[in-house]
Amino acid sequence: HPVLSLSGITKSYNSGKPNEVTVLRGIDLDVARGEVVALVAPSGAGKSTLLHIAGLLDTPDKGTVAIGGADMTGKRDAARTAVRRDDVGFIYQFHHLLPEFSALENVVLPQLANGISRQAAQTRAMELLDQVGVAQRATHRPAALSGGEQQRVAFCRALANAPKLLLADEPTGNLDPETSETVFAALMGLVRSTGLSALIATHNLELAARMDRQIRLDQGALTG
Ligand code: ADP
Ligand code: ADP
């Protein structure tokens, strides 16, 4: 089974009201194990909505979402939260690291919340930070890091609990082109070394072309 399977996803905001807006119109999408899919869409096309539905942060009006073969349709919040926590990693355009904690602690804390011992969590966090080239910044707080370093730490945090599926919304959207390149390479290195499946929204067509497959979201529907 695919790691992510979306079938017939429809979503409107303000349903039934004069200001109703239909954002997604019957989206079908499978992301296979180890596959990295680029989601290319103009601003306002509904990509954040699609990523939130795929990551169980929002529910569709119609259609089904399955993660790791488990259909989440109609499941209770507790079950959705458990799958989200164990199986899904999120990355955003802005890092959202905890400002009062070091880079290392930002990668350790989600593991502690998942019941991992502090020692094991620290070892894993250092390995991840090292893999993306920021191990030497481990004791620094986010404010002391460059934008590219902050984003690389955020990738480590997203992967800290070894999710099956990574959902990224413009992960390099806030960076200059040169930094984007370094940070994207670091992300792809992490993803490929773990065999993770990913759906990565980007405006950057050059980066999109380096993923396994590109899909376009246009007027609420996917095109090849
Ligand atoms: P993208 O991420 O592609 O920019 P979004 O998924 O954020 O697009 O939004 C798609 C459309 O849905 C936009 O027109 C946006 O204004 C609208 N929209 C998003 N969230 C809401 C909401 N909570 N209520 C009403 N409209 C919304
Ligand atoms: P709880 O209130 O039990 O912590 P939540 O639903 O708030 O449960 O969060 C469950 C998981 O989903 C957590 O790992 C949290 O970090 C993540 N999460 C919640 N909301 C968001 C969001 N808007 N973006 C990304 N991750 C989120």
Side-chain angles (χ1 to χ4, degrees):
H1 51 70
V3 169
L4 172 67
S5 187
L6 302 178
S7 175
I9 299 290
T10 298
K11 180 76 178 180
S12 300
Y13 292 107
N14 308 317
S15 287
K17 299 193 189 136
N19 58 347
E20 174 167 347
V21 46
T22 300
V23 181
L24 302 175
R25 305 165 189 274
I27 302 286
D28 297 317
L29 171 66
D30 282 353
V31 179
R33 188 175 306 274
E35 191 179 31
V36 178
V37 177
L39 175 61
V40 180
S43 193
K47 78 191 145 40
S48 303
T49 302
L50 184 63
L51 290 170
H52 282 165
I53 288 172
L56 308 177
L57 291 166
D58 197 357
T59 50
D61 299 330
K62 276 194 222 147
T64 60
V65 181
I67 294 182
D71 183 356
M72 299 309 294
T73 311
K75 289 280 162 60
R76 303 154 79 91
D77 279 353
R80 294 166 58 85
T81 298
V83 169
R84 187 164 65 234
R85 223 176 237 155
D86 293 346
D87 297 342
V88 185
F90 292 95
I91 298 173
Y92 294 95
Q93 185 172 356
F94 298 97
H95 58 79
H96 301 298
L97 296 170
L98 298 170
E100 69 275 30
F101 290 98
S102 69
L104 181 73
E105 278 302 291
N106 269 281
V107 185
V108 164
L109 289 171
Q111 299 181 75
L112 299 184
N114 240 24
I116 310 289
S117 75
R118 169 161 281 280
Q119 198 181 345
Q122 280 184 344
T123 302
R124 174 161 175 80
M126 279 310 294
E127 282 167 5
L128 287 166
L129 293 170
D130 187 42
Q131 214 182 328
V132 296
V134 291
Q136 77 288 4
R137 311 294 267 149
T139 61
H140 295 262
R141 289 185 185 193
L145 307 183
S146 72
E149 288 171 339
Q150 290 168 346
Q151 211 47 353
R152 282 180 278 164
V153 175
F155 299 165
C156 296
R157 180 188 51 185
L159 269 65
N161 285 320
K164 292 180 183 146
L165 174 67
L166 178 68
L167 299 171
D169 197 348
E170 299 282 356
T172 63
N174 184 40
L175 303 170
D176 63 68
E178 207 174 306
T179 310
S180 280
E181 175 56 40
T182 314
V183 164
F184 180 76
L187 177 60
M188 288 302 275
L190 270 184
V191 167
R192 294 306 192 193
S193 74
T194 52
L196 190 61
S197 307
L199 181 58
I200 302 178
T202 182
H203 282 119
N204 187 324
L205 298 180
E206 239 173 87
L207 298 186
R210 285 153 57 185
M211 301 185 213
D212 296 325
R213 180 157 70 92
Q214 294 183 45
I215 55 174
R216 273 155 213 284
L217 184 60
D218 190 21
Q219 318 251 18
L222 291 181
T223 61

